[in-house]
Short mmCIF file of all heavy atoms in Angstrom, two decimals:
data_model
loop_
_atom_site.label_atom_id
_atom_site.label_comp_id
_atom_site.label_asym_id
_atom_site.label_seq_id
_atom_site.Cartn_x
_atom_site.Cartn_y
_atom_site.Cartn_z
N LEU D 167 5.65 -11.34 -12.31
CA LEU D 167 4.81 -12.33 -11.66
C LEU D 167 4.74 -13.56 -12.51
O LEU D 167 4.47 -13.43 -13.74
CB LEU D 167 3.41 -11.73 -11.43
CG LEU D 167 3.21 -10.52 -10.58
CD1 LEU D 167 1.79 -10.19 -10.26
CD2 LEU D 167 4.09 -10.64 -9.24
N ALA D 168 4.94 -14.65 -11.90
CA ALA D 168 4.80 -15.94 -12.69
C ALA D 168 3.85 -16.83 -11.88
O ALA D 168 3.73 -16.87 -10.68
CB ALA D 168 6.17 -16.68 -12.67
N LEU D 169 3.05 -17.65 -12.64
CA LEU D 169 2.15 -18.58 -12.17
C LEU D 169 2.64 -19.98 -12.30
O LEU D 169 3.18 -20.35 -13.39
CB LEU D 169 0.72 -18.38 -12.68
CG LEU D 169 0.07 -16.96 -12.84
CD1 LEU D 169 -1.34 -17.25 -13.32
CD2 LEU D 169 0.16 -16.32 -11.47
N ASN D 170 2.31 -20.88 -11.39
CA ASN D 170 2.54 -22.26 -11.56
C ASN D 170 1.32 -22.90 -12.22
O ASN D 170 0.25 -22.16 -12.56
CB ASN D 170 2.88 -22.95 -10.26
CG ASN D 170 1.85 -22.91 -9.17
OD1 ASN D 170 0.71 -22.48 -9.48
ND2 ASN D 170 2.22 -23.28 -7.98
N GLN D 171 1.17 -24.16 -12.36
CA GLN D 171 0.09 -24.86 -12.95
C GLN D 171 -1.29 -24.70 -12.10
O GLN D 171 -2.38 -24.75 -12.79
CB GLN D 171 0.35 -26.24 -13.21
CG GLN D 171 1.54 -26.43 -14.29
CD GLN D 171 2.18 -27.81 -14.22
OE1 GLN D 171 2.10 -28.41 -13.14
NE2 GLN D 171 2.83 -28.17 -15.31
N ALA D 172 -1.15 -24.38 -10.80
CA ALA D 172 -2.33 -24.15 -10.07
C ALA D 172 -2.71 -22.65 -10.04
O ALA D 172 -3.67 -22.28 -9.38
CB ALA D 172 -2.16 -24.63 -8.67
N ARG D 173 -1.90 -21.83 -10.81
CA ARG D 173 -2.16 -20.43 -10.85
C ARG D 173 -1.73 -19.66 -9.58
O ARG D 173 -2.21 -18.58 -9.34
CB ARG D 173 -3.51 -20.04 -11.38
CG ARG D 173 -3.90 -20.59 -12.62
CD ARG D 173 -5.08 -20.02 -13.21
NE ARG D 173 -4.81 -19.00 -14.26
CZ ARG D 173 -5.83 -18.29 -14.88
NH1 ARG D 173 -7.03 -18.46 -14.57
NH2 ARG D 173 -5.43 -17.40 -15.80
N ASP D 174 -0.94 -20.35 -8.67
CA ASP D 174 -0.35 -19.60 -7.59
C ASP D 174 0.60 -18.56 -8.02
O ASP D 174 1.31 -18.70 -8.96
CB ASP D 174 0.34 -20.53 -6.66
CG ASP D 174 -0.49 -21.61 -6.03
OD1 ASP D 174 -1.61 -21.30 -5.59
OD2 ASP D 174 -0.15 -22.79 -6.06
N ILE D 175 0.55 -17.36 -7.41
CA ILE D 175 1.46 -16.21 -7.76
C ILE D 175 2.74 -16.31 -7.16
O ILE D 175 2.89 -16.45 -5.92
CB ILE D 175 0.66 -14.84 -7.38
CG1 ILE D 175 -0.66 -14.75 -8.14
CG2 ILE D 175 1.62 -13.74 -7.77
CD1 ILE D 175 -1.39 -13.54 -7.75
N TYR D 176 3.84 -16.13 -7.93
CA TYR D 176 5.22 -15.92 -7.49
C TYR D 176 5.57 -14.63 -7.88
O TYR D 176 5.41 -14.21 -9.08
CB TYR D 176 6.06 -17.00 -8.06
CG TYR D 176 6.01 -18.41 -7.47
CD1 TYR D 176 4.93 -19.27 -7.82
CD2 TYR D 176 7.03 -18.85 -6.60
CE1 TYR D 176 4.80 -20.57 -7.36
CE2 TYR D 176 6.92 -20.26 -6.17
CZ TYR D 176 5.78 -20.97 -6.51
OH TYR D 176 5.80 -22.37 -6.01
N SER D 177 6.17 -13.76 -6.95
CA SER D 177 6.57 -12.38 -7.29
C SER D 177 8.13 -12.35 -7.32
O SER D 177 8.81 -12.84 -6.41
CB SER D 177 5.97 -11.42 -6.32
OG SER D 177 4.67 -11.75 -6.06
N TRP D 178 8.57 -11.42 -8.14
CA TRP D 178 10.04 -11.10 -8.17
C TRP D 178 10.16 -9.62 -8.61
O TRP D 178 9.49 -9.16 -9.46
CB TRP D 178 10.74 -11.91 -9.22
CG TRP D 178 12.23 -11.67 -9.35
CD1 TRP D 178 13.25 -12.29 -8.61
CD2 TRP D 178 12.94 -10.71 -10.04
NE1 TRP D 178 14.49 -11.83 -8.78
CE2 TRP D 178 14.33 -10.91 -9.86
CE3 TRP D 178 12.55 -9.89 -11.13
CZ2 TRP D 178 15.29 -10.10 -10.45
CZ3 TRP D 178 13.57 -9.05 -11.76
CH2 TRP D 178 14.85 -9.24 -11.47
N ASP D 179 10.97 -8.91 -7.75
CA ASP D 179 11.17 -7.46 -7.95
C ASP D 179 12.70 -7.18 -7.90
O ASP D 179 13.36 -7.44 -6.97
CB ASP D 179 10.45 -6.66 -6.80
CG ASP D 179 10.46 -5.13 -7.06
OD1 ASP D 179 11.21 -4.70 -7.95
OD2 ASP D 179 9.79 -4.45 -6.36
N SER D 180 13.17 -6.64 -8.98
CA SER D 180 14.53 -6.34 -9.31
C SER D 180 15.01 -5.37 -8.15
O SER D 180 16.28 -5.24 -7.87
CB SER D 180 14.93 -5.81 -10.64
OG SER D 180 14.21 -4.62 -10.91
N ALA D 181 14.05 -4.62 -7.55
CA ALA D 181 14.56 -3.63 -6.61
C ALA D 181 14.86 -4.30 -5.25
O ALA D 181 15.42 -3.61 -4.38
CB ALA D 181 13.46 -2.61 -6.39
N ASN D 182 14.42 -5.54 -4.98
CA ASN D 182 14.73 -6.13 -3.85
C ASN D 182 15.80 -7.36 -4.11
O ASN D 182 15.40 -8.54 -4.39
CB ASN D 182 13.46 -6.84 -3.17
CG ASN D 182 12.49 -5.85 -2.70
OD1 ASN D 182 11.54 -5.39 -3.40
ND2 ASN D 182 12.80 -5.21 -1.56
N TYR D 183 17.01 -6.92 -4.08
CA TYR D 183 18.13 -7.87 -4.52
C TYR D 183 18.13 -9.13 -3.73
O TYR D 183 18.11 -9.16 -2.60
CB TYR D 183 19.39 -7.21 -4.50
CG TYR D 183 20.57 -8.13 -4.69
CD1 TYR D 183 20.80 -8.86 -5.94
CD2 TYR D 183 21.50 -8.42 -3.65
CE1 TYR D 183 21.89 -9.79 -6.04
CE2 TYR D 183 22.46 -9.29 -3.78
CZ TYR D 183 22.69 -9.98 -4.94
OH TYR D 183 23.80 -10.84 -5.09
N GLY D 184 18.30 -10.30 -4.43
CA GLY D 184 18.58 -11.50 -3.84
C GLY D 184 19.41 -12.27 -4.82
O GLY D 184 19.06 -12.37 -5.99
N PRO D 185 20.39 -12.92 -4.35
CA PRO D 185 21.23 -13.83 -5.37
C PRO D 185 20.49 -14.97 -5.90
O PRO D 185 19.68 -15.63 -5.16
CB PRO D 185 22.49 -14.35 -4.44
CG PRO D 185 21.93 -14.32 -3.09
CD PRO D 185 20.95 -13.18 -2.94
N GLY D 186 20.75 -15.30 -7.11
CA GLY D 186 20.06 -16.40 -7.72
C GLY D 186 18.58 -16.27 -7.71
O GLY D 186 18.03 -15.21 -8.10
N ALA D 187 17.87 -17.34 -7.40
CA ALA D 187 16.45 -17.30 -7.39
C ALA D 187 15.89 -16.88 -5.97
O ALA D 187 14.65 -16.86 -5.79
CB ALA D 187 15.78 -18.76 -7.66
N SER D 188 16.72 -16.40 -5.13
CA SER D 188 16.22 -15.99 -3.75
C SER D 188 15.39 -14.74 -3.77
O SER D 188 14.90 -14.37 -2.70
CB SER D 188 17.45 -15.88 -2.82
OG SER D 188 18.24 -14.82 -3.14
N GLY D 189 15.35 -14.03 -4.74
CA GLY D 189 14.46 -12.91 -4.89
C GLY D 189 12.98 -13.14 -4.92
O GLY D 189 12.18 -12.30 -4.59
N TRP D 190 12.69 -14.41 -5.48
CA TRP D 190 11.30 -14.80 -5.64
C TRP D 190 10.61 -15.01 -4.33
O TRP D 190 11.22 -15.59 -3.39
CB TRP D 190 11.27 -16.04 -6.59
CG TRP D 190 11.53 -15.87 -7.93
CD1 TRP D 190 12.72 -16.07 -8.51
CD2 TRP D 190 10.62 -15.40 -8.95
NE1 TRP D 190 12.60 -15.76 -9.89
CE2 TRP D 190 11.38 -15.49 -10.16
CE3 TRP D 190 9.31 -15.22 -9.07
CZ2 TRP D 190 10.67 -15.11 -11.48
CZ3 TRP D 190 8.66 -14.85 -10.24
CH2 TRP D 190 9.39 -14.82 -11.40
N THR D 191 9.37 -14.71 -4.30
CA THR D 191 8.50 -15.16 -3.09
C THR D 191 7.08 -15.52 -3.48
O THR D 191 6.62 -15.05 -4.51
CB THR D 191 8.39 -13.97 -1.96
OG1 THR D 191 7.68 -14.49 -0.92
CG2 THR D 191 7.63 -12.82 -2.51
N ARG D 192 6.54 -16.52 -2.78
CA ARG D 192 5.11 -16.82 -2.90
C ARG D 192 4.24 -16.12 -1.80
O ARG D 192 3.02 -16.24 -1.87
CB ARG D 192 5.02 -18.25 -2.81
CG ARG D 192 3.74 -18.96 -3.35
CD ARG D 192 3.99 -20.42 -3.63
NE ARG D 192 2.83 -21.27 -3.36
CZ ARG D 192 2.88 -22.51 -3.33
NH1 ARG D 192 4.03 -23.14 -3.48
NH2 ARG D 192 1.80 -23.29 -3.16
N ARG D 193 4.84 -15.39 -0.95
CA ARG D 193 4.07 -14.51 -0.02
C ARG D 193 3.17 -13.54 -0.81
O ARG D 193 3.64 -13.01 -1.76
CB ARG D 193 5.00 -13.81 0.99
CG ARG D 193 5.86 -14.64 1.92
CD ARG D 193 6.58 -13.81 2.92
NE ARG D 193 7.12 -12.53 2.39
CZ ARG D 193 8.27 -12.49 1.69
NH1 ARG D 193 9.13 -13.53 1.73
NH2 ARG D 193 8.72 -11.29 1.34
N TRP D 194 2.05 -13.34 -0.17
CA TRP D 194 1.14 -12.36 -0.83
C TRP D 194 -0.03 -12.16 0.19
O TRP D 194 -0.66 -13.14 0.62
CB TRP D 194 0.57 -12.84 -2.18
CG TRP D 194 -0.31 -11.85 -2.86
CD1 TRP D 194 -1.58 -11.47 -2.59
CD2 TRP D 194 0.12 -11.19 -4.12
NE1 TRP D 194 -1.99 -10.53 -3.50
CE2 TRP D 194 -1.08 -10.35 -4.46
CE3 TRP D 194 1.20 -11.11 -4.88
CZ2 TRP D 194 -1.07 -9.49 -5.53
CZ3 TRP D 194 1.19 -10.27 -5.93
CH2 TRP D 194 0.25 -9.44 -6.28
N GLY D 195 -0.32 -10.92 0.48
CA GLY D 195 -1.49 -10.52 1.29
C GLY D 195 -1.21 -9.98 2.59
O GLY D 195 -0.11 -9.89 3.09
#
Side-chain angles (χ1 to χ4, degrees):
L167 301 186
L169 308 187
N170 61 15
Q171 293 158 338
R173 305 192 96 181
D174 296 315
I175 299 174
Y176 286 74
S177 311
W178 182 87
D179 188 346
S180 63
N182 294 98
Y183 167 70
S188 67
W190 287 94
T191 186
R192 199 159 145 190
R193 299 188 312 276
W194 185 287

